[in-house]
Amino acid sequence: MNQIINDSHKQLNALYNQDFYQWVQTTTHNIRNRDLKSLDWENLLEELEDLGNEQKHQLESRLIVLLEHLLKLTYWYQERNYNSRGCQGTIIEQRKQIKKLLKRNPSLKPFFLEILAETYQDARDITIVKTGLEPEIFPLESIVTPEQALDEKWLPEEIQ
């Protein structure tokens, strides 16, 4: 009996490495049928952890894009007339997507608060390169509070 279970686990592990989609189908089938002995627990746990990390990565990525466009809109005077509609559209889109992500995953709110300063620095670095502007033009501290970052009507004073 143990040999059969071991062989089944080896087959599932091989399937995971050879055909991920089929592994998912087999795993969901086994879960639906409450066949817990046939689950590839090691890879299943890894995939679940990756799903959680994917949500965090998506939040971080969207926040960087939001902050980058707020910085461009605020400090890239030479391009403001040309790019303001595109920047504002991206700002609205990212805010909406961040709010949806936080609504679906309320436990990410502390992570959002934790990464705001770090993502601002990342966005600042990216904006410096993309705009070619001098680094001292951009404040070292975040130009937004967590509330402002999510407020669809808020824009920095320089551009209102």
Side-chain angles (χ1 to χ4, degrees):
M1 181 69 172
N2 283 342
Q3 185 61 35
I4 294 171
I5 292 173
N6 285 340
D7 289 345
S8 175
H9 285 227
K10 286 179 185 175
Q11 288 174 339
L12 282 173
N13 192 41
L15 185 60
Y16 177 81
N17 292 314
Q18 294 168 359
D19 187 344
F20 181 74
Y21 179 78
Q22 185 60 50
W23 177 86
V24 169
Q25 297 305 308
T26 301
T27 300
T28 55
H29 173 80
N30 289 342
I31 291 171
R32 278 193 183 95
N33 291 321
R34 310 270 192 268
D35 186 4
L36 303 181
K37 291 179 182 173
S38 296
L39 290 176
D40 177 6
W41 286 103
E42 185 177 322
N43 288 317
L44 178 57
L45 291 172
E46 185 177 314
E47 289 303 320
L48 288 172
E49 288 172 351
D50 286 349
L51 280 174
N53 288 333
E54 184 179 313
Q55 298 301 304
K56 289 172 86 172
H57 174 72
Q58 185 180 145
L59 176 60
E60 192 171 19
S61 178
R62 290 192 176 281
L63 191 52
I64 288 171
V65 172
L66 168 66
L67 294 170
E68 176 190 340
H69 282 80
L70 283 169
L71 285 168
K72 284 180 183 177
L73 192 59
T74 305
Y75 298 103
W76 201 10
Y77 303 112
Q78 304 89 324
E79 297 290 326
R80 187 178 293 156
N81 288 338
Y82 179 72
N83 288 325
S84 67
R85 288 178 59 196
C87 278
Q88 287 180 351
T90 299
I91 289 166
I92 291 168
E93 176 187 358
Q94 295 307 313
R95 281 178 169 155
K96 287 184 180 298
Q97 293 299 327
I98 289 168
K99 286 164 76 170
K100 286 178 183 179
L101 186 60
L102 292 173
K103 185 177 181 181
R104 285 191 310 268
N105 303 281
S107 63
L108 284 178
K109 184 75 177 205
F111 180 70
F112 167 76
L113 299 172
E114 176 186 322
I115 64 168
L116 184 61
E118 179 184 333
T119 54
Y120 174 78
Q121 293 305 315
D122 293 341
R124 183 179 179 274
D125 293 344
I126 292 166
T127 306
I128 289 167
V129 171
K130 285 185 175 181
T131 63
L133 296 172
E134 294 298 319
E136 51 273 356
I137 290 174
F138 303 100
L140 292 173
E141 299 297 320
S142 180
I143 62 170
V144 300
T145 65
E147 296 78 21
Q148 291 167 333
L150 298 176
D151 182 352
E152 291 183 33
K153 294 185 181 349
W154 183 87
L155 291 172
E157 288 181 22
E158 288 89 344
I159 55 175
Q160 291 183 3

